Amino acid sequence: MIAVTGIGLISALGGSVVETWKAMRENRTGLGDLSLFDSPQWRHVPVAQVREPLRITNDRFNRCQRLALCAAGQAMGDADAQVTAEAAADRFAVAVGTCTGGMLESEQTLVDFGEDFPAHIDRRTYQQHPCSAVTDALAKQWGLHGRRATVSDACASGGSAIAMACDWLNLGLADRVLAGGVDVITRLTLHGFGSLMILDEKGCRPFDADRRGMSLGEGAAFFVLEREADARKRGATIHAHVAGWSCRCDAHHVSRPSGVGIRQAMRSAMEMARLSPAQVDYINAHGSGTIDNDRVEAEAIHEVFGDHSVPVSSTKHYFGHTLGAAGAIEAVVSVLAIREQCLPPNLGMTTPDTRLPVHLVTAWQNTSVRAAMSNSLGFGGANASLVFTRAQAP
Amino acid sequence: MTLAPDHIAILGYGHICPNRQAQLLTDDNGGPTYLSVDLSRIESLIDPDLAPRLTRAQQITMIAASRAIARYGHELDGDRTGVFVGTGLGNLTDTLAFLKRAVGPHSRLASPLAFVHSVHNAIASQIAISFGLAGCNHTCTHGRHSFAQAMACAGIALLARHIDHAVVIAVDAIDEDYLRMPCRDRVRTPGEGGAAFVVARGDDESDTSEHWRMNPIPVADPLATDAGPLIDQACLLMRHDADDSQSCRLPAGSRVGEFGKSCGEFCTVDAVAVAMGLAAADDLLEPDAIDIRRPVSDIQHVLVYRDAKLSPSSVWWLQR
């Protein structure tokens, strides 16, 4: 069993897990105006931008790295997971899911210099552009010399990175893993999803009958993960267990989900967790707010869970769609749902789409949550499903 | 000396790279020179309807994957086969093409398809779609370690029994804007290429008797250990250039091939060198494809050196 011993989060709702959870309980949305860069064409579209000052004293990092360092720092502190004799540096691994890396800063050079931009890319921007610069920054910050992976599986990246980390621990390839996801709002993603005509001018409304699309967001979330026996041995607080995980591909279309992959991922993750559908108390859905995604995911949930009326909510109206960070942020929400024994609602949904065969959470619900599932769906038919369970008393 | 027990079996391999006759090209602005893959006959190599809709990196990938799967020669179980792509640059050209439109005065003309192609995993997903591979599908991007990460991820997914087979691919395509960046490494001639491998768990070889074995991560140089060489049988040493193997002591009967002249330099060139080395050792490489003394049919080990002088843990070791 894999234990979650550290949690860190930065989002448009706040700079920490506590602030973010408090804002969620107050049903506040992170959606608002974009101020990161000027975008006349998409000025009217709300985004969930992190407005918190990034408390990183070293200004050599780009925004993506800074967000990751903020969240990862919280997770490392929460787990009291400094490199120690018990968790030697070469057994402490890092797995990061991200799509944008240093794109925001590279774009600025293109804006400033037009077609001649390559000649003006400075060394720091060049070196920090790759997604892997985030992973390397985290490893360097805490002197972690174990295995590293930078996973770029579109919007499933965060879920994929956590799943990969769990495999490392299960196979004994690492003793602790700092695992999560991060992404920033960029011109590429804003214009890109805009060109696909799937940005909702009113802000995303997952599973709403009148939903029109998604809202972009940014943020980062990280876990410190370790084997349960190791965590117990050192007396660490266990927030929850990662009991099952699975990644599957639709093998169907580059941008349109088929539902086949997420169905199989949910089934495999539950099988690994040795849970039946009736034993899952909550699903944090990918629920991006697009017409296709929400329909396909709801139908997949219905097919897997049958008549078990498992409560489902998407938290995208709180955080926006944070792309590579989404799977990790929503994994944190799933762990908090278990820890706090309550379920967040589908904020932004005013008229539930009754054609969708799932039980949608409409208001905060205090209930027994023994197991929660977090789904991520991405371009390319990438799917990840994670199952978290309540930690037992030692 | 044999490989570690968690080795994986390579059941099929394929690659594409600039060949030795490739001329050094320059970009449209008379800028830096580079070695380029010849894709002029792409329609004869992959589905002619699909080819024009793919990015350059996807085209290279499709060719390499088609060759690897054909060489494997058996049908892959789509539900139990994963796809793992390592790439340094991804679809950079398409990303930049989209961005130039998006932030320019004609932003409404930015193509949605170009955006979809800009996503790193567009390469892996195209392979999954084209070959019906629905197992886990991951894209690892970590500069020069991208192939190593993809191969390691595949090895771990196999060991964890999430899948029974994996198609591991490494690819990087030339981008002319990238060539114009003053900070990139200018020591070696830039190149491009792709390689693909059908792999399985080393202990699960029921479907084939002929295969190569490898550790799923690069190893410390087995020819340059303090205790003496770990290999005493003839090997094929693939090196980027002569600088890459100064300290090694080759067993009798060994051969040396240099892939730098054929491939140039790019993030995932080590993957292409591995595939070329296997093809050479299996005597499947055209005689003029690489600078190597023949015959090579008695070769039992293939070693691929890339910057071995800089990093002692950067050697790929494959055993027949």
Side-chain angles (χ1 to χ4, degrees):
Chain A
M1 194 79 89
I2 306 301
V4 178
T5 56
I7 308 175
L9 170 63
I10 182 165
S11 73
L13 287 181
S16 69
V17 173
V18 172
E19 287 171 27
T20 299
W21 189 248
K22 181 172 180 289
M24 287 183 74
R25 293 302 310 239
E26 293 167 356
N27 285 332
R28 277 158 42 197
T29 176
L31 295 176
D33 294 337
L34 173 71
S35 62
L36 268 177
F37 50 85
D38 189 30
S39 179
Q41 191 180 339
W42 302 107
R43 194 176 286 148
H44 59 293
V45 172
V47 296
Q49 178 184 323
V50 173
R51 292 165 209 284
E52 192 81 12
L54 301 178
R55 300 186 194 100
I56 300 293
T57 49
N58 194 328
D59 64 358
R60 72 177 188 274
F61 297 112
N62 64 34
R63 185 172 180 82
C64 200
Q65 290 171 311
R66 289 157 73 90
L67 287 172
L69 285 162
C70 281
Q74 295 167 36
M76 292 291 281
D78 185 32
D80 191 17
Q82 302 308 311
V83 172
T84 63
E86 295 82 41
D90 61 355
R91 301 281 300 165
F92 207 138
V94 186
V96 177
T98 182
C99 306
T100 57
M103 181 59 73
L104 180 67
E105 288 74 13
S106 299
E107 286 171 345
Q108 189 59 51
T109 313
L110 178 60
V111 170
D112 292 343
F113 296 98
E115 290 287 333
D116 197 30
F117 82 96
H120 296 274
I121 291 272
D122 62 67
R123 179 163 288 278
R124 185 190 295 175
T125 304
Y126 173 84
Q127 288 175 335
Q128 294 184 343
H129 176 87
C131 294
S132 54
V134 176
T135 316
D136 293 341
L138 296 181
K140 190 172 180 187
Q141 181 77 10
W142 286 284
L144 311 179
H145 300 302
R147 191 174 285 278
R148 289 182 205 178
T150 311
V151 192
S152 201
D153 294 347
C155 305
S157 302
S160 295
I162 293 169
M164 218 170 261
C166 292
D167 275 335
W168 295 350
L169 291 165
N170 245 8
L171 293 169
L173 300 170
D175 292 336
R176 284 184 205 164
V177 188
L178 178 61
V182 59
D183 260 323
V184 298
I185 298 170
T186 66
R187 296 166 183 85
L188 174 69
T189 49
L190 185 64
H191 286 268
F193 287 109
S195 74
L196 290 165
M197 313 285 277
I198 53 171
L199 294 177
D200 190 336
E201 295 178 10
K202 293 182 179 172
C204 68
R205 292 163 282 172
F207 301 115
D208 192 282
D210 196 32
R211 66 186 182 278
R212 290 287 179 272
M214 56 181 279
S215 299
L216 266 185
E218 63 178 1
F222 281 86
F223 285 142
V224 171
L225 302 170
E226 52 196 306
R227 286 179 291 275
E228 184 188 18
D230 295 342
R232 295 236 182 260
K233 192 174 164 188
R234 73 180 184 95
T237 300
I238 299 177
H239 299 291
H241 292 128
V242 196
W245 56 91
S246 178
C247 300
R248 301 283 305 186
C249 183
D250 286 347
H252 165 69
H253 190 271
V254 286
S255 60
R256 217 169 35 236
S258 72
V260 171
I262 193 63
R263 275 203 297 274
Q264 290 172 331
M266 287 190 285
R267 284 190 176 120
S268 298
M270 278 195 293
E271 190 181 322
M272 180 187 274
R274 297 179 183 171
L275 294 176
S276 68
Q279 292 173 299
V280 175
D281 300 312
Y282 170 60
I283 297 176
N284 187 297
H286 184 71
S288 64
T290 65
I291 292 170
D292 275 353
N293 177 90
D294 290 5
R295 177 183 54 77
V296 166
E297 188 179 8
E299 287 169 356
I301 289 170
H302 179 70
E303 191 171 322
V304 172
F305 285 82
D307 293 330
H308 299 291
S309 189
V310 57
V312 175
S313 70
S314 160
T315 42
K316 292 279 195 298
H317 194 84
Y318 291 103
F319 304 108
H321 190 342
T322 54
L323 309 181
I329 289 176
E330 291 155 18
V332 168
V333 172
S334 303
V335 168
L336 295 177
I338 291 173
R339 202 179 71 179
E340 305 297 326
Q341 295 289 288
C342 58
L343 308 180
N346 281 281
L347 193 67
M349 179 186 74
T350 53
T351 312
D353 187 343
T354 53
R355 294 165 299 181
L356 303 179
V358 285
H359 169 196
L360 298 168
V361 184
T362 55
W364 279 94
Q365 192 178 322
N366 294 322
T367 184
S368 167
V369 190
R370 296 156 300 175
M373 174 181 277
S374 176
N375 286 344
S376 301
L377 286 75
F379 272 6
N383 301 278
S385 191
L386 307 171
V387 173
F388 297 91
T389 54
R390 195 173 185 177
Q392 305 298 314
Chain B
M1 180 68 195
T2 58
L3 299 176
D6 63 350
H7 72 264
I8 57 177
I10 295 183
L11 310 175
Y13 55 84
H15 76 279
I16 180 168
C17 67
N19 60 41
R20 287 194 72 198
Q21 284 75 42
Q23 292 184 337
L24 286 176
L25 303 175
T26 62
D27 70 13
D28 292 343
N29 303 314
T33 54
Y34 58 92
L35 285 164
S36 167
V37 167
D38 180 6
L39 293 175
S40 60
R41 296 185 303 112
I42 183 77
E43 280 82 2
S44 67
L45 299 173
I46 59 173
D47 178 354
D49 293 331
L50 179 65
R53 290 186 275 131
L54 302 181
T55 66
R56 186 172 183 83
Q58 285 175 320
Q59 289 178 338
I60 291 172
T61 304
M62 280 293 293
I63 295 168
S66 300
R67 289 175 175 171
I69 291 170
R71 174 147 181 78
Y72 171 52
H74 300 273
E75 195 161 329
L76 288 164
D77 176 353
D79 274 348
R80 297 290 300 163
T81 304
V83 178
F84 299 81
V85 168
T87 179
L89 297 180
N91 288 310
L92 181 64
T93 303
D94 303 80
T95 306
L96 290 174
F98 179 85
L99 265 175
K100 286 174 187 174
R101 287 270 191 183
V103 303
H106 307 295
S107 61
R108 287 196 179 275
L109 297 176
S111 153
L113 186 61
F115 172 63
V116 172
H117 278 156
S118 78
V119 183
H120 270 97
N121 74 333
I123 299 167
S125 73
Q126 186 58 54
I127 296 299
I129 293 165
S130 293
F131 296 98
L133 308 179
C136 41
N137 186 293
H138 296 303
T139 297
C140 300
T141 174
H142 213 118
R144 296 156 75 90
H145 305 290
S146 299
F147 171 52
Q149 283 201 357
M151 190 57 92
C153 285
I156 289 164
L158 288 164
L159 286 175
R161 300 194 178 267
H162 295 309
I163 49 174
D164 294 326
H165 290 89
V167 178
V168 182
I169 297 161
V171 63
D172 274 302
I174 280 286
D175 174 74
E176 295 191 354
D177 283 318
Y178 173 73
L179 294 177
R180 290 165 58 206
M181 292 180 189
C183 356
R184 70 169 174 80
D185 174 13
R186 290 173 178 278
V187 176
R188 289 169 168 170
T189 306
E192 63 178 356
F197 306 87
V198 177
V199 302
R201 282 182 293 277
D203 62 357
D204 187 11
E205 301 159 1
S206 55
D207 55 356
T208 182
S209 55
E210 272 188 50
H211 63 271
W212 286 87
R213 293 180 288 155
M214 71 183 292
N215 278 336
I217 54 172
V219 297
D221 187 349
L223 295 178
T225 62
D226 292 340
L230 297 178
I231 297 172
D232 54 10
Q233 295 168 297
C235 65
L236 168 60
L237 188 147
M238 297 284 288
R239 62 187 183 189
H240 193 282
D241 50 46
D243 276 354
D244 250 349
S245 59
Q246 282 182 344
S247 60
C248 69
R249 289 160 281 179
L250 283 170
S254 296
R255 316 276 193 279
V256 176
E258 288 185 6
F259 56 88
K261 291 175 193 165
S262 306
C263 303
E265 171 67 13
F266 50 97
C267 287
T268 49
V269 70
D270 51 341
V272 176
V274 169
M276 286 178 90
L278 296 183
D282 284 341
D283 220 3
L284 297 170
L285 211 56
E286 289 175 20
D288 61 351
I290 190 166
D291 190 7
I292 184 171
R293 186 162 55 83
R294 310 263 158 174
V296 288
S297 52
D298 57 340
I299 293 295
Q300 297 300 311
H301 299 267
V302 173
L303 297 169
V304 174
Y305 280 41
R306 190 212 187 158
D307 298 334
K309 205 166 61 172
L310 299 175
S311 167
S313 301
S314 60
V315 178
W316 290 100
W317 177 13
L318 301 104
Q319 192 174 350
R320 195 185 288 278

